[in-house]
Amino acid sequence: MKLWLAIQLLTLRLSGASLAGAEQARLGAPEAEIPVARSKPNIVFIITDDQDLHLRSLDYLPYVKKHLIDQGLFYKRHYCTTALCCPSRVSLWTGKQAHNTNVTDVNPPYGGYPKFVKQGFNEAYLPVWLQNAGYNTYYTGKLFNAHTVENYNAPHVRGWTGSDFLLDPFTYMYLNATYQRNKDAPVSYEGQHSVDVLAEKALGFLDEAAEEDRPFFLAIAPVAPHSNVEIKNAGPNLNDVFDAEFTAPIPLKRHEHLFKDVKVPRTDNFNPDSPSGANWVRRLPQQSQENVDYNDHFYRQRLRTLQGVDELVDGVFQKLEEHDLLDNTYIFYTTDNGYHIGQHRLQPGKECGFEEDINIPLIVRGPGVPAGEVADVVTTHIDLAPTILDLVGAPIRADFDGDAIPLSKKGLQEAAKFRHEHVTVEYWGFAAAEGDYFDGSRITINNTYKALRIISKTYNFYYSVWCNNEHELYDLRTDPQQLKNLLHADEKAPENVLGLPLTKVVARLDSLLFVLKSCKGQTCVRPWQALHPAGNVQNLHDALAARFDDFYETQQKKVRYDRCELGQILDAEGPQFERDGLVYRHNARWDNWV
Ligand SMILES: *[C@@H]1O[C@H](CO)[C@@H](O)[C@H](O)[C@H]1NC(C)=O
Ligand SMILES: *[C@@H]1O[C@H](CO)[C@@H](O)[C@H](O)[C@H]1NC(C)=O
Ligand SMILES: *[C@@H]1O[C@H](CO)[C@@H](O)[C@H](O)[C@H]1NC(C)=O
């Protein structure tokens, strides 16, 4: 018998019971009496699931606009580093690239909650460090994949003062979610909508947190606008996400009627006449009108489902005001990874390196954060754990692969001069087509690649190497839709890029990727330092100097794979910078090391 079938359907316990106490605290506490601990800021961290930036989902969220975009800072160049839920979330909460967490998939053996535990992160991730810094921590919603009704207590997730997690196999069932509170048994919410259930829980935790003397961190992780997923064959195949039906997300009844005429934005890369990209993407057939119509419906369902999140955001701000906490609280709004629908002929899904999948919403509002502004610094999910530790005054860990995100005007000005300009993008395993249309299998394997984004005032590239050793290069200044892969045999590549032969630019990008694909700690933040230890090269612009031509074009190892694997099997991934260390370094002073 399957265990979760035996779970008692406990009566729904509403978590708003503490309202009276919090109300009292609010009325009875004049400012002078606010405990010292309260001077540390609170943090509310809202993380949606699969929310796009490029398909313009933010345009349809009036409360997100009112409370966050208009009153906070929008980071238009924010990136996830692995475009898949579980690896991306583990990277976010640990401050490490997926190649350093080795949680690279949604399910074991390469990913999921069991892998997170096995890698030792249940004792070493953000909420644990926040508790050590004197914070109360709360979480509600989806934490990781493969966190199930069977394994939720073996062991329990650590680090949270209060928690109420969505559990597989019901995580993505909008109308039959299972939540699991603190150490209690899982509870099924059959017939209720997952996002409304979550809102109740989130606001309840906010009431609870407001009553305490300690500052708090509250994470709210609704499943919207992820596909509705029904795991068809649970039990022995519980870890087999492929045996599942992915359909359009299900909105709340009160939002079903919205956006009747809205369609996926018809950008140039939407279902294009000519194929684009590399590898399997380049072999996709153009979508039929019927398929496009369905995908437009899928898109509308996402926007409708997000309305529940939008209302939740309004609810959070009302509560913060009610408890008089708004002035001392930072609110983050982001998602785990982006999403594509029809771009490059792709069916609904993520897992690719295109902008739609990796460039995602990040908005921050709080004390000292410029209101209603847009930041163009390059930031990633790996930077969030350092940002939050910085904010609460806790020490930044030496093994972080990211760098705190500037939140103030002054910080942004300094960042404009010194901040890293790259994003390390990586992926292992499969890509899944969601929705009703796909050829044969919904799964494409060998979707394994290493990539980088690099952006400055004068350049803007995406460079990737796939596990079959195909290469991709897009010049996003001239090709923002990524339709022209300059390294594909069928494309006529320009002879010059940035006024230099293409090969010279590619040589630098490849060496940078070579360092980034296995970087650790500060090397991930300052990769040029690894190539030029004297510190005379800080960015791509510096590296392009002619005196380094020979160094990059003939002396460096190239990024390549020996074969495709579904996880991080190092001997399939060609030469390694870390393993072979200094051999690849070069600098005039240290010539004898080369
Ligand atoms: C809803 O989930 C419960 C377990 O949490 C399960 O027993 C029940 O069969 C599910 N109902 C439907 C309609 O899927
Ligand atoms: C995937 O890659 C492996 C190893 O590199 C190769 O043998 C296999 O043919 C590839 N499969 C597909 C479907 O491309
Ligand atoms: C990552 O995990 C997989 C699965 O356990 C393992 O086979 C692989 O060797 C690990 N890779 C690294 C670099 O630790």
Side-chain angles (χ1 to χ4, degrees):
M1 185 173 61
K2 293 173 185 86
L3 188 60
W4 65 87
L5 292 180
I7 290 164
Q8 268 186 297
L9 296 185
L10 302 179
T11 36
L12 164 59
R13 204 187 63 184
L14 299 182
S15 43
S18 55
L19 187 65
E23 187 80 349
Q24 207 171 30
R26 182 176 69 90
L27 296 173
E31 261 191 284
E33 281 172 39
I34 290 176
V36 178
R38 268 280 184 249
S39 62
K40 282 202 176 192
N42 307 301
I43 296 169
V44 175
F45 194 98
I46 301 166
I47 176 166
T48 59
D49 200 322
D50 287 359
Q51 187 177 353
D52 62 275
L53 174 63
H54 284 254
L55 313 189
R56 313 205 64 90
S57 63
L58 289 176
D59 291 1
Y60 297 87
L61 304 178
Y63 288 122
V64 169
K65 177 165 163 34
K66 174 182 166 194
H67 297 299
L68 288 158
I69 297 176
D70 291 351
Q71 297 298 322
L73 188 54
F74 172 70
Y75 292 81
K76 71 172 186 182
R77 286 179 179 152
H78 185 73
Y79 288 84
C80 64
T81 52
T82 301
L84 183 64
C85 309
C86 187
S88 182
R89 288 167 186 246
V90 172
S91 284
L92 192 163
W93 297 123
T94 59
K96 287 170 180 294
Q97 290 282 154
H99 69 253
N100 287 333
T101 65
N102 202 22
V103 179
T104 58
D105 198 353
V106 286
N107 288 311
Y110 300 118
Y113 177 60
K115 180 73 167 171
F116 167 85
V117 171
K118 202 168 149 198
Q119 296 293 97
F121 293 124
N122 204 20
E123 285 75 39
Y125 73 131
L126 188 67
V128 174
W129 303 322
L130 287 171
Q131 286 189 330
N132 292 344
Y135 271 67
N136 280 340
T137 56
Y138 305 87
Y139 196 103
T140 182
K142 168 180 154 188
L143 183 64
F144 301 130
N145 303 80
H147 180 209
T148 74
V149 293
E150 289 177 352
N151 70 16
Y152 73 90
N153 56 1
H156 279 287
V157 175
R158 298 189 52 173
W160 305 102
T161 312
S163 61
D164 211 329
F165 299 116
L166 273 164
L167 294 184
D168 281 351
F170 305 103
T171 302
Y172 303 110
M173 293 186 74
Y174 282 90
L175 299 178
N176 195 21
T178 291
Y179 282 87
Q180 187 270 317
R181 189 175 181 86
N182 300 329
K183 300 246 158 112
D184 301 348
V187 176
S188 172
Y189 290 82
E190 188 162 356
Q192 299 182 57
H193 195 280
S194 178
V195 176
D196 265 1
V197 173
L198 178 100
E200 185 96 49
K201 292 175 183 301
L203 300 180
F205 276 138
L206 205 42
D207 285 333
E208 211 172 301
E211 274 184 89
E212 303 290 329
D213 284 346
R214 288 167 165 240
F216 65 83
F217 177 90
L218 164 64
I220 304 173
V223 84
H226 194 286
S227 298
N228 189 74
V229 181
E230 205 170 323
I231 312 262
K232 301 291 261 206
N233 183 5
N237 289 324
L238 185 56
N239 285 335
D240 187 354
V241 73
F242 312 143
D243 197 7
E245 198 175 341
F246 287 69
T247 49
I250 301 169
L252 283 149
K253 274 256 172 289
R254 59 183 181 272
H255 302 134
E256 276 174 354
H257 64 288
L258 295 169
F259 315 129
K260 284 210 163 58
D261 301 321
V262 173
K263 291 179 175 176
V264 179
R266 296 303 198 254
T267 45
D268 289 346
N269 64 5
F270 180 80
N271 201 25
D273 291 341
S274 311
S276 46
N279 201 351
W280 63 273
V281 178
R282 213 177 171 94
R283 295 194 289 270
L284 291 170
Q286 196 171 25
Q287 293 171 4
S288 67
Q289 188 57 50
E290 190 191 20
N291 186 168
V292 169
D293 291 345
Y294 169 81
N295 286 350
D296 280 332
H297 160 76
F298 195 103
Y299 176 64
R300 288 189 290 272
Q301 290 293 83
R302 283 169 54 86
L303 298 179
R304 291 165 181 152
T305 306
L306 276 169
Q307 300 308 302
V309 176
D310 199 43
E311 292 179 1
L312 163 59
V313 166
D314 190 44
V316 165
F317 279 90
Q318 281 182 25
K319 267 274 182 259
L320 287 172
E321 272 183 54
E322 210 174 280
H323 291 299
D324 207 8
L325 292 172
L326 197 51
D327 288 348
N328 193 30
T329 302
Y330 288 86
I331 303 95
F332 288 70
Y333 183 98
T334 189
T335 189
D336 47 9
N337 50 257
Y339 208 72
H340 54 247
I341 303 179
Q343 297 75 30
H344 309 278
R345 304 177 171 183
L346 288 157
Q347 298 298 346
K350 54 263 184 182
E351 295 123 5
C352 294
F354 294 119
E355 288 296 271
E356 286 79 4
D357 291 21
I358 59 173
N359 182 203
I360 53 178
L362 174 68
I363 311 154
V364 185
R365 171 178 172 175
V369 180
E373 290 190 22
V374 178
D376 60 7
V377 286
V378 174
T379 61
T380 81
H381 266 12
I382 312 295
D383 299 326
L384 284 166
T387 307
I388 290 165
L389 285 193
D390 206 27
L391 211 48
V392 309
I396 302 292
R397 299 171 61 86
D399 62 352
F400 275 149
D401 297 336
D403 200 15
I405 295 172
L407 299 174
S408 66
K409 201 149 218 152
K410 186 158 165 280
L412 287 168
Q413 280 159 1
E414 277 164 24
K417 281 175 259 161
F418 304 116
R419 194 175 172 79
H420 64 79
E421 54 181 23
H422 67 273
V423 181
T424 305
V425 181
E426 42 194 2
Y427 202 89
W428 295 262
F430 66 88
E434 303 180 14
D436 284 359
Y437 287 78
F438 47 91
D439 288 329
S441 164
R442 66 165 67 250
I443 297 302
T444 306
I445 60 157
N446 293 355
N447 186 52
T448 295
Y449 55 84
K450 316 267 182 200
L452 66 82
R453 283 287 281 119
I454 188 159
I455 309 170
S456 81
K457 288 206 160 45
T458 46
Y459 41 80
N460 189 348
F461 294 114
Y462 174 86
Y463 174 70
S464 80
V465 178
W466 288 76
C467 64
N468 65 359
N469 292 311
E470 282 191 46
H471 286 57
E472 256 173 317
L473 176 66
Y474 302 102
D475 183 347
L476 283 95
R477 280 174 321 156
T478 53
D479 177 24
Q481 302 281 313
Q482 299 176 292
L483 284 164
K484 197 169 156 61
N485 172 8
L486 300 179
L487 299 178
H488 196 276
D490 297 349
E491 301 282 356
K492 189 177 155 354
E495 277 163 23
N496 287 298
V497 173
L498 305 175
L500 292 168
L502 185 64
T503 50
K504 291 198 185 291
V505 177
V506 172
R508 270 70 172 185
L509 294 175
D510 195 81
S511 294
L512 179 60
L513 182 57
F514 188 71
V515 174
L516 292 175
K517 78 186 176 85
S518 60
C519 66
K520 287 189 168 50
Q522 277 301 299
T523 303
C524 300
V525 179
R526 313 232 163 276
W528 299 107
Q529 187 82 22
L531 291 156
H532 301 270
N536 54 339
V537 171
Q538 305 284 345
N539 50 40
L540 176 62
H541 175 267
D542 296 344
L544 285 168
R547 67 180 186 283
F548 301 123
D549 280 356
D550 186 56
F551 175 64
Y552 283 108
E553 289 170 51
T554 67
Q555 296 179 31
Q556 299 303 306
K557 297 273 179 195
K558 301 289 176 229
V559 177
R560 67 169 168 78
Y561 286 85
D562 296 301
R563 61 182 190 278
C564 295
E565 285 284 357
L566 293 172
Q568 189 186 200
I569 309 301
L570 280 192
D571 74 0
E573 299 193 357
Q576 299 289 317
F577 181 81
E578 286 289 334
R579 193 175 58 200
D580 306 322
L582 296 170
V583 177
Y584 307 114
R585 289 190 179 180
H586 173 83
N587 168 276
R589 229 173 74 218
W590 295 350
D591 257 350
N592 52 346
W593 287 20
V594 174

